[in-house]
Amino acid sequence: MRVLLDARRLKMQKRKLGNSGLEVSAIGLGCMRMSFGDKPTDKQEMIDFLRKAVERGVTFFDTAEVYGPFTNEELVGEALEPFKGQVVIATKFGWRHDPVKGPVTAAGQDSRPEQIKRVAEASLKRLRVDAIDLFYQHRPDPNVPIEDVAGAVKDLIQAGKVKHFGLSESDANQIRRAHAVQPVTALQSEYSLWWRDIEKDILPTLEELGIGLVPYSPLGRGYLTGKVDESTTYSSTDIRSRNPRFTPEAIKANRVVIDLLESMGAKKKATPAQIALAWLLAQKPWIVPIPGSRKLERLDENNDAVNVQLTADDLSQLKTAMEQIKVVGDRY
């Protein structure tokens, strides 16, 4: 049954991803951890959570066939089916497939055109949609020219099976080459106050071409919430258990970043997470972060970041302070 939303309940601001015209909530929702790479979750609980996110104005949801594999797309598809046409679902292709296990990241990339089209057909069924709103290449494939990738997605767009083409973790040259074949709506890449490598070449390229940016890990995999300390432990299935920035030594050394966020938060009556997200939103009007959360209090906290206004002076203070901080630990 299709659900019509009461506009009075939707307080979330909207943004457009570049020049594409694709309008989404200013803060989206990363769904990966609802069924992949972390502690198990209850499916019905996550379905209820996703539907409550929509009620709160979130209209942009991020998944991928490899999350699970497959189970995350199935979860998102079931949860959001009542809101068909009212939300935007992004998913991804690009990994090799085992006949039994499905996509296997350890086996490397596979963005051959025939594979892209096969994945699209399967994702359409799992997501319970007539067309994929935003279809990302999950990672660049060194064995397939990006022009062939863009051409395959162009075919899917012309066939009405995909609406928008996206890239993830691509460099400036790859973005330009792909965009020349099929306009790229959005690039998904890691970007946050403590990881800013894309600012030199990627952001100017996106601005020039009119492409939106969707930062994943906008809260530094949870570190920038200020709720992680040296005693925090992670299960072996959690990527942070192997992440150099989440060793006890790095957690302690990087506390200075949290001190900075807390200081600005005290000034703005906001949490560290809200300052980190507000900083991203203030960088460009076509940036839409996708923090992952599974609890309503965290979702509400993140969403309220749209109401935190950082002035030019605030942004300058944060920039100057971060230039003096040496973040300990590599990204991966």
Side-chain angles (χ1 to χ4, degrees):
M1 182 177 68
R2 189 165 181 264
V3 175
L4 294 176
L5 297 171
D6 184 345
R8 292 170 298 181
R9 301 177 70 181
L10 307 185
K11 300 178 181 179
M12 173 68 74
Q13 298 171 16
K14 299 289 186 65
R15 288 190 165 201
K16 289 184 179 178
L17 288 171
N19 298 338
S20 68
L22 181 59
E23 188 175 68
V24 296
S25 51
I27 294 178
L29 181 59
C31 302
M32 180 183 78
R33 291 176 61 239
M34 296 177 191
S35 54
F36 176 79
D38 206 338
K39 299 173 184 176
T41 54
D42 179 78
K43 181 180 178 181
Q44 189 57 52
E45 182 182 338
M46 290 298 98
I47 287 174
D48 293 342
F49 174 79
L50 283 163
R51 291 175 178 172
K52 287 175 181 175
V54 179
E55 292 174 359
R56 284 159 161 78
V58 178
T59 64
F60 189 33
F61 297 86
D62 185 84
T63 183
E65 65 153 1
V66 76
Y67 300 160
F70 308 134
T71 54
N72 201 247
E73 282 188 328
E74 291 167 352
L75 169 70
V76 171
E78 182 176 348
L80 300 182
E81 187 175 22
F83 308 103
K84 190 176 293 187
Q86 301 176 76
V87 298
V88 172
I89 302 174
T91 192
K92 311 175 191 76
F93 63 85
W95 297 109
R96 291 182 186 171
H97 277 239
D98 179 278
V100 177
K101 298 178 181 177
V104 184
T105 57
Q109 291 83 11
D110 185 355
S111 285
R112 292 170 300 147
E114 60 268 30
Q115 171 73 348
I116 295 171
K117 293 175 181 180
R118 190 205 62 75
V119 171
E121 294 291 348
S123 291
L124 283 167
K125 292 183 176 67
R126 287 189 290 268
L127 294 173
R128 307 186 186 194
V129 294
D130 302 318
I132 297 168
D133 294 308
L134 178 55
F135 204 30
Y136 292 108
Q137 181 188 33
H138 209 147
R139 287 293 186 273
D141 186 338
N143 299 313
V144 180
I146 191 63
E147 290 83 0
D148 292 353
V149 175
V153 178
K154 183 175 184 176
D155 290 344
L156 289 166
I157 291 173
Q158 291 176 342
K161 296 178 180 180
V162 169
K163 295 180 182 178
H164 295 270
F165 176 34
L167 299 174
S168 181
E169 292 283 339
S170 300
D171 63 31
N173 179 56
Q174 291 164 337
I175 294 167
R176 290 183 183 280
R177 288 167 54 198
H179 192 72
V181 175
Q182 169 60 45
V184 177
T185 291
L187 173 76
Q188 186 172 130
S189 186
E190 184 167 353
Y191 185 40
S192 66
L193 189 66
W194 79 343
W195 197 83
R196 300 167 60 180
D197 287 15
I198 69 169
E199 290 181 341
K200 181 180 178 182
D201 297 318
I202 302 297
L203 283 186
T205 300
L206 300 182
E207 185 146 44
E208 176 192 339
L209 299 177
I211 298 171
L213 177 69
V214 179
Y216 72 83
S217 296
L219 297 175
R221 297 181 175 82
Y223 187 82
L224 300 182
T225 64
K227 297 177 174 65
V228 175
D229 60 31
E230 301 97 294
S231 66
T232 304
T233 58
Y234 299 98
S235 68
S236 61
T237 57
D238 192 312
I239 189 173
R240 289 171 291 187
S241 66
R242 302 175 297 281
N243 191 293
R245 290 194 176 181
F246 285 85
T247 64
E249 297 78 16
I251 288 172
K252 182 177 181 180
N254 291 328
R255 178 69 203 185
V256 63
V257 179
I258 303 304
D259 293 341
L260 172 63
L261 293 173
E262 288 179 340
S263 175
M264 183 62 70
K267 177 181 173 183
K268 296 292 180 178
K269 295 183 173 59
T271 66
Q274 290 170 339
I275 295 298
L277 290 170
W279 177 86
L280 271 173
L281 293 171
Q283 299 308 300
K284 299 291 180 183
W286 36 264
I287 289 178
V288 179
I290 49 167
S293 54
R294 296 175 297 186
K295 296 180 179 178
L296 283 177
E297 58 265 33
R298 294 284 80 78
L299 179 74
D300 290 338
E301 177 185 351
N302 292 342
N303 289 353
D304 280 344
V306 300
N307 299 314
V308 177
Q309 300 299 318
L310 296 177
T311 66
D313 185 56
D314 296 330
L315 294 169
S316 178
Q317 287 182 35
L318 289 170
K319 181 177 184 291
T320 300
M322 284 303 298
E323 287 172 349
Q324 308 303 314
I325 294 173
K326 172 65 175 176
V327 176
V328 175
D330 292 331
R331 181 165 72 117
Y332 287 114

